[in-house]
Amino acid sequence: MTGAPQLGRNERPNPPPLAVVGSQTSQDEEIFGRAYDPWVVRRFLRYLAPYRRQLMLGIGAIVIFIAMQLAVPLVVRAAIDRALAGPEAGAALLQLACAVFFAVVTISYIANHVMEFVVGRVAQALLFDLRRAMYAHLQKVSLTFMDKTETGRLMSRLQGDVGALQEFLESSIYAIGDLLLLVGIIVVTLSLDPVLGGLTLLVVPALFAVRAVWLPLARQSFMRARETQSATNAALAETVHGVRTIQELQREDLNFTLFDAKAGDNLRAQLSASKYTNIMVPIVDTLMGVAMATVVIVGGGLALDDALDIGVVVAFLFYVQRFFDPIRSLTLQYSVMQRAMSAGQRIFEVLDVEIDVNDAPDAIDLDRAPARDDAERGAVELRNVTFGYNRNQPILRDVSLRAAAGETVALVGATGSGKTSIAALAHRFYDVWEGAVLIDGHDVRSVTQASLARTVGMVLQDPFLFSGTIYENIRYASEGADREAVIAAATAVGLHRVIESLPDGYETVLEESGGGLSLGQRQLISFARALVADTRILILDEATASIDSYTEREIQKALAILLKGRTALVIAHRLATIRGADRIVVLQDGQVIESGSHAELAAAGGAYSRLNQMNYASFDDIEAKPA
Amino acid sequence: MVFAPSAPDKRLDILGDAGESAGRSRMNAAVLMRITRMAFRHRARMAVAILATVLAAVFQLFVPQLLGRAVDQAQGLIGQAGAQAVEPSVAEAALLTTALLLLSASVLRGLATMMQNYQGEAVGQIIAYELRLAFYRQLQCLSASWRDRVHSGDLITRGMLDVEGVRLWVSTGVLRMVLLSVLIGGGAVILFQIDALLAAIALSMVPIIGVRASVARLKLREAWLALQEEMSLLTRVMEENLAGIRVVRAFAASAYEMSRFDRISERARQVSARRIALFVSSTTQMTFIYFIVMGLVLWVGGQKVLDGAITLGQLTEFLGFMLILQMPVRQIGWMVNSIARASTCGGRLFAVLDLVPSIADGPDARPLPPGKGVLRFQNVSFTYKGRRQDRPTLSGIDFEAKPGTMIGIVGPPGSGKSTIASLIGRTYDVDSGAITIDGMDIRQATVASVREAVAVVQQQSFLFTASLEHNIAYGAPWSDRANIERSAGASQLHDYINRLPGDYRTLVGERGVSLSGGQKQRLAIARGILPDSRIIVFDDATAAVDAVTEQRIRQAIASAMADRTVIVIAHRLTSLMHADEILFLEEGRIVERGSHAVLVALNGRYADLYRLQTREAGRPAPDAEAAS
């Protein structure tokens, strides 16, 4: 067997190396549970409701199709017994029989077409509907949920799980057909000749029994094959991504040995699965042979005694060929249902995630609502805010701070001090536990989210670019903005000339989250995006730590333009920004400990002046003190 | 600023066979031959598989004959074409014989099919295994200059889906072709002996269904590829939306995002609907044609039975034959499709497997001589291949780094700093000039010995989904715990790891601990210093580490690696101002060089940068002496 992994040059038998390739894949998505979950099915049916009439049509077509399939051997039988062998045998009857045959197969063709088409379309529609419902819901659920759920996991809901439900719908409808076919064959054969029918049908329970024993064993082997396959693929993918590090650290030989072991496992598992698949072939063929032999001996004997028409024997031979198909599909149906139920549970779990940030019924539009007084227009205020992500673990405790219209307030503090939470609250990503967040003097919970977003803009620390052109990225959701506005924004942040120098200019397509652009350029694009959105208030998580001094100069210039004439809360990492702010708020463990201008705070001898003394180029890496 | 958008030549020409993505399915005989040759290298298995296939077809061919004979016998007719009528008892005995033969033929056919399937599958799986290993090996030794121009997703597709495409053809395609040939050939011989006209009618379904199925399959394949393209677009849109959910929320862009989703989703739905329509009409039509032909056989054959030209049993034999041929004939389309798929998949795989790594040991490559790690750049010039550039990335680079000393390299973005790091580790080869380590040109040394002598710590190092311990020991997997802890200690990570519940066994990544940017860099440093290389290069390796921690790391490394050659590339001057020599790079050239004091006194670009950074810090920079 070539499957045995060979020892690489690097391999030393003892002790084993501290090495693996590919992640240890978790099986939590693969767990097989119940095959029928009434809750899931009920929810599922609601999504089917719009397609009720199409489904009825499809099921009707299936019934007709199956009836015609059952009729074919009967027509052949009639042709033989009446037109060829009967007392009135002759061309006229033969033509009649053939005409009936053509009619039956034509009806069968139409029914088949309708059924396949309707089932395919409805299942497809369901797939798209479910995916859209989930996606739309994810646009609204709380960020608390999004924060703790990995994108990859959600993607597998949006793709794999909806696919499992699509498969379930299709196979359920075909299962109805299979069941009808099986029952039909049993009824027809028994009514053609109870004795011959009864004897021949003995293979049906035998087939069921064999598959019942075989399936659980085989399924384990199939799962093993699938698991080893995905482990091998995971190792390959990891190597593709990490190949530079691998080459630099000379891990090629050891990795190859480890990969060989995984690929070898997969080979063995696949071969074992193949054994399980193929062991069924001679068993089924033998049972089929037994059925045919039974028809020949018993049916032939009866025909010889003239107790049975010869056409019936031929019809039986036709039916025998069809026994196995429905039984095979029906036994496979069980795993399809198991998969669908667990997929359904995961899908409806997502759809049931509560939307906790909602517009109040009497929410007002910030653009139209009069500010309480002129001083409030453009002001951001946190009033005695207590907030956290997990119950009993407040991140902010009784925080009050205010940025007056046009003022730039810098938030400074170590990781975990609550800066980012303040920014998130001002945009109502979350609702506060206690206290209130006020924009223009209005509690953010009393205004519409859409008008809040038109008033409060946000630039994140990690500039996120979407695949698409540079133009689309700058304009983003401000669909009302025209080309001039986009160019003006790019010019303001100092990007216009650079963009123009590209062969495709603004139409240059960015790949994989802005790959090809430097971090600084990506940040400038996100600044331009905020300029186009042109909100009165800006929340800004300032540039990342690892930007070099040259790029930083550009960023600082753009920042000054961005902040001009706006109220701004800036989570500040750099001294340049901090010193340029009108006011600095120093946070520690969720509380404001100092507030004032740079000069005031530097002279005060408090936490800020200590930080300032330590000569950090950036403030954001100061790790939180161990609790 | 250097703007480097994705150039159109990002994909390499050799990989330009866009057959798979553009929806064209070209056949390539050479590729198919090569795959077939690979299969026949497993001679014994293939011989058994083909023998089993032929036997399975032959036993299968017996069945309709026996059925026909049984029908005649049941009417009391025996012999060739029911030549003579006999007594019921004789007929009954004959029926018993026929039944036993029928049973034996079925059992034998089943056993032969099992062998055929299993051996076919085995050969396919073994070839897939071999291809996977070959691909993996190639992947690990191909050079960076090639990888730069290929998408990682594309490579993963080749290693996964393309291997499967080749496997399916070997596992089932080849043998089904044999099966179909024997069934149709043998069947034709038998049927034409009975009645030529009837045989012609019955067999007419073979070309009709075969051609229709093939055409439909190729169309379906194109529709499928088109759907895949739409789906991957939809996937990207959804993924970006979820990953960038904060931006979406910040701009209240959910309506915009939904319209984007709907637009692409609608397109995918239309392509999918087209695919369903194609699939449904082709499968149902094939069934219809089959039954129409069967009806004709019944009609013409029935007339012949009435005329006494053939017996009822022979008519049954015709019908039985059509019954067994139905599936294999429908599979002609499947086969044509799998040939097309194997041909493109194989082509794409071989394009990678046949590449010759540009950085590989020459015939007379020798290991580097033993030494302490004297690194010398002699008039080095270098340009990245396939990138449009008006000037070389590096030109005329000259410097020497001795053991126990440190060289600092600084310069604006795009000045070529990181390229120097890549050249030292021989990720690329120089265009002109030479790099020597302990007196030997690294192009004459074995790649392994160069990479053993040089450790490069990147700004963004790849973390593997494994434990912290595995990640630190990535370049020295046989290290003991004490060494691992020492490295982690020097990179100021030990205390943090110790506080984790699973300490060094904690997993990194999605299912384990998520590290901050600074922690990731410190992990990369621990990993880089563990193998104890002669030369160690830090390529902006502490950009995300705060100044105090960086200083501690520097001190720890300085004492642990006092006799090593150290190259530090950075844009934060505190990281390298205490170096023995600092090179200031601009547009690929060294424009200033000397110690910190010399360069500050020079009052050039370095001094300019120094002022910029110290003014930013708000007070005079710490003395270089104090820092080291």
Side-chain angles (χ1 to χ4, degrees), chain A residues 61-75 100 103-109 111, chain B residues 291:
Chain A
I62 288 182
V63 174
I64 294 172
F65 176 66
I66 297 297
M68 292 303 117
Q69 291 292 299
L70 284 169
V72 167
L74 290 179
V75 176
V100 172
V104 165
V105 298
T106 307
I107 295 171
S108 164
Y109 165 60
Chain B
F291 276 121

Side-chain angles (χ1 to χ4, degrees), chain B residues 206-511:
Chain B
V206 175
I208 298 176
I209 295 182
V211 168
R212 283 207 66 86
S214 307
V215 171
R217 267 299 185 168
L218 291 178
K219 272 198 205 150
L220 265 174
R221 178 179 156 80
E222 277 175 26
W224 187 82
L225 292 170
L227 181 62
Q228 286 310 104
E229 232 164 272
E230 296 296 337
M231 284 313 296
S232 72
L233 198 60
L234 189 62
T235 301
R236 206 164 68 199
V237 165
M238 292 194 295
E239 239 165 20
E240 283 180 353
N241 174 284
L242 296 177
I245 191 81
R246 280 171 184 274
V247 178
V248 176
R249 298 284 169 95
F251 284 82
S254 55
Y256 170 75
E257 287 285 320
M258 280 314 292
S259 75
R260 213 158 104 98
F261 172 86
D262 282 340
R263 206 172 54 236
I264 295 165
S265 176
E266 185 50 41
R267 251 187 3 233
R269 189 201 286 262
Q270 275 165 14
V271 175
S272 166
R274 207 162 60 228
R275 184 168 160 259
I276 291 173
L278 258 173
F279 178 78
V280 169
S281 61
S282 80
T283 51
T284 55
Q285 272 174 23
M286 281 192 288
T287 312
F288 188 50
I289 294 169
Y290 168 77
F291 276 121
I292 291 291
V293 172
M294 186 186 259
L296 287 175
V297 168
L298 190 65
W299 191 1
V300 176
Q303 198 58 55
K304 281 182 187 282
V305 172
L306 283 177
D307 298 345
I310 58 170
T311 64
L312 186 57
Q314 286 172 321
L315 178 60
T316 308
E317 187 175 339
F318 270 96
L319 295 176
F321 184 74
M322 290 193 65
L323 221 49
I324 60 166
L325 215 55
Q326 184 193 5
M327 268 329 269
V329 168
R330 290 179 139 220
Q331 282 169 352
I332 292 177
W334 181 92
M335 249 157 37
V336 170
N337 177 56
S338 90
I339 292 176
R341 186 167 165 212
S343 159
T344 32
C345 288
R348 282 155 49 91
L349 265 181
F350 296 141
V352 174
L353 294 181
D354 294 345
L355 286 172
V356 181
S358 62
I359 295 186
D361 292 345
D364 38 284
R366 286 168 296 132
L368 281 177
K372 303 285 276 178
V374 180
L375 171 73
R376 186 174 294 143
F377 268 58
Q378 294 168 340
N379 198 22
V380 166
S381 294
F382 175 76
T383 306
Y384 286 101
K385 310 285 170 296
R387 263 187 226 176
R388 282 161 307 163
Q389 272 176 337
D390 37 6
R391 59 168 179 84
T393 312
L394 289 176
S395 57
I397 303 294
D398 244 312
F399 69 87
E400 187 184 59
K402 291 202 196 69
T405 67
M406 168 178 160
I407 300 278
I409 301 176
V410 69
S415 57
K417 302 183 300 269
S418 292
T419 308
I420 291 185
S422 300
L423 293 180
I424 300 172
R426 221 185 151 197
T427 302
Y428 303 92
D429 272 338
V430 300
D431 293 344
S432 67
I435 300 171
T436 64
I437 292 176
D438 290 320
M440 185 178 195
D441 189 323
I442 57 172
R443 283 168 297 184
Q444 268 138 39
T446 59
V447 178
S449 70
V450 172
R451 291 192 178 147
E452 207 171 296
V454 179
V456 181
V457 183
Q458 311 272 358
Q459 182 187 347
Q460 282 183 332
S461 211
F462 186 83
L463 296 190
F464 296 87
T465 317
S467 66
L468 286 164
E469 177 179 58
H470 282 184
N471 266 293
I472 295 173
Y474 201 79
W478 281 275
S479 307
D480 55 23
R481 175 55 82 80
N483 275 322
I484 292 172
E485 289 188 7
R486 205 173 307 136
S487 295
S491 60
Q492 309 298 313
L493 207 55
H494 177 71
D495 291 342
Y496 168 74
I497 295 175
N498 241 352
R499 284 203 305 272
L500 294 171
D503 63 41
Y504 280 84
R505 299 221 157 76
T506 309
L507 277 182
V508 174
E510 277 205 350
R511 296 185 195 289

